[in-house]
Amino acid sequence: MVEEILRWVRKGLDVCVAFYGHPGVFVTPSHEALRRARKEGFQATMLPAVSAEDCLFADLGIDPGERGSQSYEATSFLLHRPTFDRAVPLVLWQVSVVGQPGGATEPNRAGLLELAGYLERFYGPDHEVVLYVASPYPVGEPSVERIRLHDLALARVTAMSTLYVPPTGSLSWDQDTAGRLGIAADAGY
Ligand SMILES: C[S@@+](CC[C@H](N)C(=O)[O-])C[C@H]1O[C@@H](n2cnc3c(N)ncnc32)[C@H](O)[C@@H]1O
């Protein structure tokens, strides 16, 4: 894909490449094509657009300003085990192919089972999660399927599904810092 883009750039044409959603969110070729084009002396720019996560915030009514937001590629999340906070909303991308490198047409049930098992350690098996698919049409409704974490491996997951794990418990509060800054516990942070 990158070579195909650059082939036209090198011919001296004004090239516009469209990716769905935000062109720079979970899209390796866009970043790579820009990097290489610039290295070869061409002017190249990425314009932002609406990502699946932006749609999720709107459709599920989540404001990352309230508790923050954690967002990971599902396989990377399982393999790297980043420190995350279960009191903060968690978004996991590419869940249908979790644990399965390369293109796949069917959901990877073994990977989903692994993911569910890992998340259950933090949230418990009964925690309600959302399999979310934004509508591709301006007038259509999104698909919002609420399931128990324990049922994730058998759920209807598509290549477009993003997993939203709602927060549980309270955010931590550092009283020393709050004291130094003069911020009261009920100040709204
Ligand atoms: C290769 S990424 C592309 C993301 C895209 N560039 C964006 O900005 O939304 C594919 C992943 O994005 C998410 N995704 C794509 N379309 C979606 C949709 N309609 N609803 C929810 N998530 C979607 C899924 O997690 C899917 O596995």
Side-chain angles (χ1 to χ4, degrees):
M1 205 185 287
V2 175
E3 267 313 307
E4 182 61 15
I5 296 168
L6 289 174
R7 192 162 72 85
W8 297 99
V9 173
R10 290 179 191 126
K11 286 183 186 207
L13 298 177
D14 290 332
V15 178
C16 173
V17 186
F19 295 86
Y20 79 89
H22 189 300
V25 174
F26 289 81
V27 186
T28 310
S30 59
H31 288 287
E32 183 60 17
L34 278 181
R35 197 186 60 77
R36 285 205 226 162
R38 286 173 184 150
K39 198 172 168 200
E40 291 179 26
F42 298 102
Q43 191 200 333
T45 311
M46 180 184 288
L47 300 179
V50 179
S51 76
E53 191 175 62
D54 297 311
C55 299
L56 183 149
F57 289 151
D59 287 330
L60 301 187
I62 296 147
D63 184 349
E66 286 179 11
R67 285 181 169 227
S69 174
Q70 307 166 108
S71 188
Y72 296 100
E73 198 281 327
T75 303
S76 164
F77 177 76
L78 267 185
L79 295 176
H80 297 295
R81 311 253 157 145
T83 304
F84 70 100
D85 187 342
R86 63 183 203 139
V88 174
L90 174 65
V91 177
L92 294 174
W93 299 69
Q94 303 193 151
V95 280
S96 78
V97 290
V98 59
Q100 192 170 31
T105 49
E106 291 299 312
N108 182 17
R109 299 288 166 196
L112 285 168
L113 196 62
E114 186 73 28
L115 179 63
Y118 181 59
L119 290 171
E120 277 180 33
R121 288 198 222 162
F122 301 90
Y123 297 92
D126 294 326
H127 191 64
E128 186 183 82
V129 296
V130 179
L131 279 165
Y132 169 76
V133 181
S135 170
Y137 310 109
V139 290
E141 294 297 314
S143 165
V144 178
E145 196 168 345
R146 297 180 191 276
I147 54 164
R148 289 166 68 229
L149 201 41
H150 190 68
D151 298 329
L152 178 62
L154 296 176
R156 200 160 46 88
V157 179
T158 73
M160 294 303 189
S161 298
T162 295
L163 183 69
Y164 172 64
V165 185
T168 183
S170 317
L171 287 170
S172 61
W173 178 262
D174 191 279
Q175 188 50 47
D176 287 348
T177 305
R180 281 196 300 279
L181 295 174
I183 296 175
D186 59 359
Y189 288 99

